Structure formats: structure tokens, C-alpha cells
Amino acid sequence: MIAGVVLAAGGASRFGSPKQLAELDGVPLLQHAVDAMLAVASIDRVVVVLGAEAERVREAVDLRSAQPVVCAAWEEGMAASLRCGVGAVGDCDWVIVTLGDQPRVTPQVIAAVMDEAAGAPVGTTAVRATYGGVPGHPVALGRAMLPRVAQLSGDVGARELLGSATVRTFEAAGFCDPADVDTPEELEALRT
């Protein structure tokens, strides 16, 4: 069982308005991340973690078969969203995590990270995409890592867990643009 989790619960304080709803290529920003995850046929279940402006986001984004989950504690930071998403997917061998503000992460890079996870040596507990050697997303968390997600706190994702894990990296620079959108200027840069 392989699940996908798209983290999109934040309040977008640096953006100034709900960035999940900001338009890029004629659709809300979050739509790109949802579509990329849903395009990977070998992912059994996709969860989209919402928080700030959850109802507006749900109305604007076509989630299709993805399950929306509202993280009541979204203001605590990314760890709360990750806990919520991993808790919602249930029993899985791998959970592939992407961010809702990275609209150029493609189905190809998600599938490649998933393939790396499926073919990883015994004992590998996570797979992480890197871009020019810099860690990024998607991140695949193996079954052994999932119970430890419940211990995370603050505005960090799985970074703390990955420091003590057996992580296989996958160089993904040729697969996509990993830029995330935190400001209107960063969104504008993606339009050019």
C-alpha cells in the first residue's frame, strides 16, 4: 500500500492571502500539486491536508479522488499537518509527501521517488529527492518511520526524523523545478 500526502494547511502569512488559491496557469496553485500526485497510478490513496481557509480551498480546488483532511492544529506548523496526513492514510508501506506550494513538482519525479523506495535495500526507512544535492520533496517515508511522525512538533516536516533514518537520496534536478511559493514575487517568477 502506497499513499500520497499533499501538505497544504498553512496560513500563508508571507504571501498575504491564501496562496493555495492564487492563480497559476489558469488554476489555483494547489491544483498543480494535487494533479501531480493523482497522476501517479501506482499510488493507492491520496490525502490533501487542509487547514487555513479549508472550506474556500475545498470549493476552489478539484480534489477528484483525493481525500481532504482538515488539520485543526494547522497553526502549530508543518509538523501538525504531517501528523494529520500520515494519521489519515492508515496502514501503508510507504507514504509519499509533497508540498502544496511546489506547483512544478511533476508526476514523473513523484513516481521516480516511489520507484526508488520500492527498490531500496532492506533497512531503508526513507527516500528523498535532492536538487543539485540539496534535499527537497517528494519524500517517501517507509513503514518504520510512520509511528515516529506522531512525535514531531513545530514548523518542520520530517527533517528531524530523517537525520536519524536510513535515507536513500535520489537526484531529481532533471525532473522538475522544485521552487516553492512563499511570496507573490516567487509566484510571479514561475509565470515567466
Side-chain angles (χ1 to χ4, degrees), residues 10-131:
S13 58
R14 287 181 282 175
F15 196 80
S17 62
K19 66 181 171 183
Q20 301 94 322
L21 302 176
E23 182 273 326
L24 179 64
D25 303 334
V27 296
L29 185 69
L30 177 56
Q31 190 71 58
H32 297 275
V34 171
D35 289 348
M37 191 71 86
L38 289 174
V40 182
S42 51
I43 294 178
D44 300 298
R45 181 173 184 207
V46 175
V47 167
V48 180
V49 182
L50 304 175
E53 302 286 343
E55 199 53 45
R56 283 182 62 201
V57 173
R58 215 185 323 209
E59 289 172 7
V61 178
D62 182 3
L63 298 175
R64 297 189 320 272
S65 64
Q67 174 191 355
V69 174
V70 178
C71 178
W74 66 268
E75 290 179 279
E76 292 178 20
M78 191 183 295
S81 297
L82 185 58
R83 289 192 317 261
C84 187
V86 168
V89 297
D91 186 36
C92 292
D93 296 304
W94 289 95
V95 174
I96 313 294
V97 180
T98 62
L99 305 180
D101 64 357
Q102 290 185 309
R104 301 298 191 221
V105 168
T106 62
Q108 292 78 15
V109 75
I110 295 169
V113 167
M114 203 169 75
D115 288 346
E116 286 291 320
V122 173
T124 301
T125 53
V127 176
R128 178 169 221 174
T130 59
Y131 299 89

